[in-house]
Amino acid sequence: MPTIYEVAALAGVSPATVSRVLNGVNVSPEKARLVRDAAEQLSFTPSRTARSLRMQSSVVIALVIPDIENPFFTAMARGVEDVAQAAGYSVVLCNTDDDPVKEARYLDIAASENMAGIILATAGDQADVDRHTERGRPVVAVDRAPLGVEVDTVLVDNIGGGRAATTALYERGHSIVACITGPADVATARERAAGWEETVRARGGIPGPYLRHADFRVGGGRRAMSELLALPVPPDAVFVANNLMSVGALQVLFENGRATAGIGIASFGDLPFPTLAPIGISIVPLPARRLGETAARMLLERINGDEEPPRTVVLSNER
Amino acid sequence: MPTIYEVAALAGVSPATVSRVLNGVNVSPEKARLVRDAAEQLSFTPSRTARSLRMQSSVVIALVIPDIENPFFTAMARGVEDVAQAAGYSVVLCNTDDDPVKEARYLDIAASENMAGIILATAGDQADVDRHTERGRPVVAVDRAPLGVEVDTVLVDNIGGGRAATTALYERGHSIVACITGPADVATARERAAGWEETVRARGGIPGPYLRHADFRVGGGRRAMSELLALPVPPDAVFVANNLMSVGALQVLFENGRATAGIGIASFGDLPFPTLAPIGISIVPLPARRLGETAARMLLERINGDEEPPRTVVLSNER
DNA sequence: AGCGTCGCAGAAATCGATTTCAGCGTCAAG
DNA sequence: CTTGACGCTGAAATCGATTTCTGCGACGCT
């Protein structure tokens, strides 16, 4: 791995001049050519580590997500990546597995690696991002808003989506609409359920026994759906608050041969890789990719010196 | 962001001593306590950038994959992560989008960030990993073997899997078995098709018109399946060489109402998030997670100084 | 001619850690 | 009492880039 000193020696100039050539500062054309040739010949790549140390900042962005196996987050990652790459930044993905400890560790890494910024879909409700914001390192929260921290945030309309999905089920003629949502300590889960509950009450229903908290994963959806089916008075429709739990719920319905038995399903977020014949599932679209793109754009603005007070953007539930 | 100098000043010792305390070198107990207290008080996190520069190596591993939206690769990522985290390494994911240019860029980054090692599912057949191996930075290829490069490699038995899937279709009574495989310049695609072709010939079939190359994605599977159905003599079974194309193929069958019309499907690799009632799809399991775990373990051995000649491990097609 | 300005380039400082080297003190052995 | 070994510690070098500071030469203006 050649260094800038070797390039300088080969070109017969000082390392300072090599650096200037590489960074487009004014240098005489002859020296510039000498340097470029030398760099070419040694196939020189500047050490990002050294540069980061000196500049106190790198050109990589950390994207911290709770579940890399959830297509919602990977679609978001694609959005972030496209925008960031176009601006010359690289994106590294950090998978927290919904574990605040792992999350904290990755945030530490991001700080001590001098990363340019962080896009965070936080695992819990609390995230210690002060360390970053205090140092002027921008942080954008996406999908989930950390409590009590003032950072840019990109969200979807969870309550509205919950309402829309539930209303759609009523309008299809269902009368008892249950809800399978995520963990009670996750804000998105609470909000989606709130949209459901509000709608149920408005129609004179009793939400109580028909609300289930699960883990936002396939297995959780399965268990919750089984429980609902086992109720004395089972629901005839279910609003499921994310894509993976919808898969789980549908699996249970299929396995019980009830897929076409009139139990309606509405999913918050597209089903991953749908292969089903359209059996009348309502989908509230979740613009995962746009979420990522928007977050990335906001982060880049901050990196480029935007000092406005923190903003919150709520995307509508369209693809 | 406090530095080691501030900790040293607060503790009344030299930075060298602080470093020694933090790295467990022999230091008198009193000073050790002073240092630990000071570090605690300032909530000091050592700069990984500075450490990497000095040590010429960091504790992060790059995992370079072609498609982050493919559950096969994310499952693999989980395997890598579990093993790496347990050994104190962090994993960053790099998504190349099957683009050799992006791949080269990420390999550059890995080198110039002094990453500890690289696990690479290469986009094309060629990958320029010499830069790394020459510098003693370990590289493990996974799922796909870069041509003409001597590195540790973890593969699955593609030919055997192709054979097994095809045989299963014949044994279910199908007589014309087609094949949808990946791009012709990807070795795994060629090998899986080779297993199919061999089996077809052994049964007296004519492979020729029934082989389709697509892009290993849902859309490619759809197009290829449509083409096969439009043949003068369409097949009555199809071996599909990866999970996403299987989804595409199944979508087409469902949309045409042919799902139950006797066209058999065998998929190389589990279907993502299956919600179908079991309609008799044959699956050749692909141990994605074990692939990742194995690769990570091999990489860690190399990082820890293993100097044996490169090995190739072929995992059997079991979960 | 003299003076100020400007462009270019090298020497040296800097970022924050690790590590070598050297010094100091203590203790044991001769 | 001297010598050697050993343990602990700090000073200083180091990693490889960027950037400030400084100097030099050319040029223009009065």
Side-chain angles (χ1 to χ4, degrees):
Chain A
M1 202 73 173
T3 74
I4 202 172
Y5 295 95
E6 301 171 42
V7 176
L10 180 59
V13 300
S14 77
T17 301
V18 177
S19 172
R20 286 192 263 256
V21 171
L22 265 37
N23 291 290
V25 186
N26 267 357
V27 170
S28 72
E30 318 94 81
K31 304 232 172 196
R33 269 209 7 84
L34 283 175
V35 168
R36 260 184 255 284
D37 288 353
E40 170 77 16
Q41 191 177 330
L42 298 174
S43 70
F44 168 70
T45 311
S47 158
R48 286 168 180 256
T49 306
R51 171 182 280 158
S52 300
L53 178 60
R54 176 63 225 239
M55 312 256 283
Q56 300 287 10
S57 136
S58 72
V59 290
V60 357
I61 291 172
L63 172 58
V64 183
I65 56 178
D67 181 8
I68 199 191
E69 295 193 270
N70 184 336
F72 167 69
F73 290 113
T74 56
M76 207 174 80
R78 289 301 303 268
V80 170
E81 224 170 42
D82 290 348
V83 172
Q85 298 259 356
Y89 286 83
S90 307
V91 177
V92 299
L93 263 93
C94 310
N95 182 42
T96 65
D97 215 5
D98 255 316
D99 176 352
V101 176
K102 284 193 191 176
E103 179 178 295
R105 176 147 44 141
Y106 276 118
L107 290 178
D108 252 25
I109 293 181
S112 76
E113 295 258 19
N114 284 316
M115 295 195 183
I118 298 175
I119 298 178
L120 171 66
T122 182
D125 266 349
Q126 303 288 352
D128 182 20
V129 295
D130 299 347
R131 311 240 324 270
H132 299 272
T133 53
E134 278 167 15
R135 296 177 58 207
R137 288 261 178 278
V139 175
V140 175
V142 66
D143 182 50
R144 308 174 180 183
L147 274 189
V149 193
E150 300 241 319
V151 293
D152 288 335
T153 306
V154 187
L155 301 172
V156 293
D157 181 4
N158 290 308
I159 298 185
R163 267 190 224 119
T166 311
T167 304
L169 289 171
Y170 279 119
E171 286 178 355
R172 278 167 174 253
H174 298 287
S175 52
I176 307 183
V177 179
C179 172
I180 301 176
T181 191
D185 64 344
V186 175
T188 52
R190 291 193 303 268
E191 291 165 12
R192 292 172 195 176
W196 162 81
E197 184 168 343
E198 181 190 306
T199 309
V200 169
R201 287 194 196 284
R203 303 245 172 182
I206 352 155
Y210 295 111
L211 175 61
R212 300 282 146 169
H213 287 281
D215 64 358
F216 268 152
R217 298 175 127 109
V218 175
R222 291 185 62 99
R223 274 187 298 280
M225 188 52 141
S226 302
E227 289 169 20
L228 287 174
L229 290 179
L231 284 179
V233 184
D236 65 350
V238 184
F239 161 53
V240 190
N242 90 332
N243 54 354
L244 295 191
M245 294 195 304
S246 294
V247 169
L250 285 167
Q251 285 177 355
V252 170
L253 289 184
F254 269 91
E255 287 164 16
N256 291 3
R258 305 226 209 173
T260 49
I263 295 202
I265 295 283
S267 169
F268 198 112
D270 298 289
L271 296 187
F273 309 108
T275 47
L276 302 158
I279 56 162
I281 300 169
S282 300
I283 304 279
V284 176
L286 203 44
R289 198 158 179 147
R290 271 201 299 134
L291 222 42
E293 291 167 353
T294 308
R297 267 191 286 270
M298 289 176 80
L299 189 72
L300 289 173
E301 285 175 23
R302 295 295 183 185
I303 290 175
N304 294 326
D306 183 354
E307 297 282 350
E308 301 297 309
R311 292 157 292 188
T312 294
V313 174
V314 178
L315 299 184
S316 63
N317 293 309
E318 304 158 5
R319 216 164 317 261
Chain B
M1 202 72 173
T3 73
I4 201 171
Y5 295 95
E6 303 171 41
V7 176
L10 180 60
V13 300
S14 77
T17 302
V18 176
S19 172
R20 287 191 264 254
V21 171
L22 267 36
N23 292 289
V25 186
N26 267 359
V27 170
S28 72
E30 318 95 82
K31 304 233 172 197
R33 275 216 354 94
L34 283 174
V35 169
R36 260 185 258 283
D37 288 353
E40 171 78 15
Q41 191 176 330
L42 297 174
S43 70
F44 167 70
T45 311
S47 158
R48 285 168 182 256
T49 306
R51 171 181 280 158
S52 299
L53 178 59
R54 177 62 225 239
M55 312 257 283
Q56 298 291 328
S57 133
S58 72
V59 290
V60 357
I61 291 172
L63 171 59
V64 183
I65 55 179
D67 181 8
I68 198 191
E69 294 193 271
N70 184 336
F72 167 68
F73 289 113
T74 57
M76 208 173 79
R78 289 301 303 269
V80 170
E81 225 171 41
D82 291 348
V83 173
Q85 298 258 356
Y89 286 83
S90 307
V91 177
V92 300
L93 263 92
C94 309
N95 182 41
T96 64
D97 215 6
D98 256 317
D99 177 352
V101 176
K102 286 194 190 175
E103 178 177 295
R105 178 147 42 139
Y106 276 118
L107 290 178
D108 253 25
I109 293 180
S112 75
E113 295 258 19
N114 284 316
M115 295 195 183
I118 298 174
I119 298 178
L120 171 66
T122 184
D125 266 349
Q126 303 288 352
D128 184 18
V129 294
D130 299 346
R131 310 240 322 274
H132 298 273
T133 52
E134 279 167 12
R135 295 177 57 208
R137 287 262 179 279
V139 174
V140 174
V142 67
D143 183 50
R144 307 175 181 182
L147 273 188
V149 192
E150 300 241 321
V151 292
D152 286 336
T153 305
V154 185
L155 301 172
V156 293
D157 181 4
N158 290 307
I159 298 185
R163 265 191 224 119
T166 310
T167 303
L169 289 171
Y170 279 119
E171 286 178 354
R172 278 167 175 253
H174 298 287
S175 54
I176 308 185
V177 179
C179 172
I180 301 177
T181 191
D185 64 345
V186 175
T188 51
R190 290 193 303 270
E191 290 165 11
R192 291 171 196 178
W196 161 81
E197 184 167 342
E198 181 191 303
T199 311
V200 170
R201 286 193 196 283
R203 302 249 173 178
I206 351 156
Y210 295 111
L211 175 62
R212 300 281 146 170
H213 286 281
D215 64 359
F216 269 149
R217 295 177 131 108
V218 175
R222 294 184 60 100
R223 274 188 297 279
M225 188 53 141
S226 302
E227 289 169 19
L228 287 175
L229 291 179
L231 285 179
V233 183
D236 65 350
V238 184
F239 160 54
V240 190
N242 91 330
N243 56 353
L244 296 191
M245 294 195 303
S246 294
V247 169
L250 285 168
Q251 284 178 355
V252 170
L253 289 184
F254 271 93
E255 286 163 18
N256 291 4
R258 305 222 209 175
T260 49
I263 295 202
I265 295 283
S267 170
F268 198 111
D270 298 289
L271 295 186
F273 308 108
T275 48
L276 301 158
I279 57 162
I281 300 169
S282 301
I283 304 280
V284 176
L286 203 45
R289 198 156 179 150
R290 270 202 299 133
L291 221 42
E293 291 166 354
T294 309
R297 266 191 285 272
M298 289 175 79
L299 189 72
L300 289 173
E301 285 174 23
R302 293 296 183 185
I303 290 174
N304 292 327
D306 182 356
E307 297 282 351
E308 302 297 307
R311 292 156 294 187
T312 294
V313 174
V314 178
L315 298 185
S316 63
N317 293 307
E318 304 160 5
R319 215 163 319 261

